[in-house]
Amino acid sequence: MKIVLSILFMVFSSASFAENKKMSDEGMFSGRVSYLREEANLVRIKVDFENVKYLNKKDRVEFWDQHNPSFHCRAYVAGKSSNYLLIKVPNMNDCSSRVTLGTGVYLQFFSEDLENNIAMGKELIEILVKKKMALTSKILSRKKQLDSHIEKANAVNGRYQVLRDKLEAQWRNELASLEEDRLDALRNYKGLEVRINEIEFKLQKYRISDENLSLDRWSLDPRLFYKK
């Protein structure tokens, strides 16, 4: 019986060691035991790594200590915070006999779920980076439009200022031309008026009466008059 157990232990140890060689750095982390409750199969681990956010409840983990790295205990996450992991160890008795689980003990951990979650996180980050680049390109384009607004407004103002100055100059020239026309018309009008007055004076001066005799009425009776 002991021989069978020894053979099983060697097989289990060799399998665990083979799995250990496949472990990636992304799925590995470390922590210290801060609380142990064997009757509930619960161990609270103090952790300090940023990727702990990728560990979710019910994710599987395995852990070991430095003295016996070939033996890994299986567990899963029962709860977590930013600094602590609460893991449930189904086979607590076997684990505690081969892995030191006292308070303050330093342990190594590996989680394939953590590795997969980080891989999905990287894919999400790539998508977000592409979206950020696209949005950054758009925002730079919009910022360029905003920055060039003042320059464009000044250019438009300058262009229309030139047109306004030109129109005002044409307006003044037209008004000056109309004023000259008015003065010429006024001079002509005054000249013609003078000439008409002269002619009127001469007409009065040289006016010819129809008869040289005039009627002299010496009575109220209109029939009683005579020419003289």
Side-chain angles (χ1 to χ4, degrees):
M1 185 65 179
K2 291 183 178 180
I3 296 174
V4 175
L5 291 175
S6 300
I7 294 173
L8 289 174
F9 177 75
M10 292 176 63
V11 172
F12 179 79
S13 298
S14 61
S16 298
F17 184 74
E19 289 178 2
N20 192 31
K21 291 196 297 184
K22 297 179 182 178
M23 294 178 184
S24 68
D25 292 338
E26 292 178 346
M28 295 183 65
F29 61 96
S30 61
R32 292 189 181 274
V33 177
S34 65
Y35 177 77
L36 176 64
R37 190 175 178 183
E38 293 188 17
E39 64 273 15
N41 295 338
L42 293 174
V43 182
R44 186 173 66 191
I45 307 297
K46 177 72 167 61
V47 293
D48 184 17
F49 70 106
E50 188 175 355
N51 288 337
V52 68
K53 58 178 172 276
Y54 284 101
L55 266 176
N56 302 315
K57 193 174 180 180
K58 296 184 179 181
D59 282 351
R60 289 171 296 178
V61 298
E62 52 185 278
F63 61 90
W64 63 95
D65 60 19
Q66 295 176 335
H67 302 291
N68 188 14
S70 61
F71 181 80
H72 293 185
C73 283
R74 302 294 195 273
Y76 63 88
V77 178
K80 73 167 187 174
S81 66
S82 58
N83 295 316
Y84 290 93
L85 282 179
L86 183 64
I87 61 175
K88 190 171 184 66
V89 185
N91 194 3
M92 176 64 79
N93 293 331
D94 189 32
C95 281
S96 61
S97 65
R98 301 188 186 189
V99 177
T100 305
L101 293 178
T103 302
V105 174
Y106 181 80
L107 298 175
Q108 294 284 341
F109 293 83
F110 176 79
S111 173
E112 188 176 353
D113 290 330
L114 173 62
E115 184 180 10
N116 294 334
N117 293 340
I118 290 176
M120 288 189 294
K122 286 184 177 181
E123 293 178 359
L124 177 61
I125 287 174
E126 289 181 1
I127 295 173
L128 293 176
V129 167
K130 290 180 181 179
K131 288 184 177 180
K132 181 182 178 181
M133 291 177 62
L135 291 175
T136 300
S137 177
K138 288 183 179 180
I139 198 171
L140 288 176
S141 176
R142 298 298 181 268
K143 187 176 185 299
K144 186 177 180 180
Q145 290 180 352
L146 292 174
D147 292 340
S148 64
H149 171 73
I150 296 177
E151 182 180 352
K152 290 180 179 179
N154 291 335
V156 171
N157 290 334
R159 184 168 68 251
Y160 280 94
Q161 181 65 40
V162 171
L163 293 175
R164 184 170 66 181
D165 293 341
K166 183 178 180 180
L167 287 174
E168 287 182 351
Q170 292 178 353
W171 181 21
R172 288 191 295 268
N173 291 336
E174 291 289 337
L175 290 176
S177 178
L178 289 175
E179 182 64 16
E180 290 180 1
D181 292 342
R182 187 187 73 83
L183 293 175
D184 289 341
L186 180 61
R187 283 193 295 270
N188 292 331
Y189 174 81
K190 292 296 184 181
L192 293 173
E193 193 176 46
V194 169
R195 292 177 62 185
I196 288 177
N197 290 334
E198 289 177 352
I199 293 173
E200 187 69 25
F201 174 76
K202 289 180 180 180
L203 286 175
Q204 291 294 332
K205 180 179 179 180
Y206 297 108
R207 184 173 61 87
I208 299 174
S209 178
D210 293 337
E211 294 182 1
N212 291 329
L213 298 177
S214 60
L215 296 176
D216 185 13
R217 185 175 295 139
W218 53 273
S219 173
L220 294 178
D221 189 350
R223 293 173 298 176
L224 302 176
F225 63 88
Y226 65 95
K227 294 181 178 181
K228 64 176 181 178

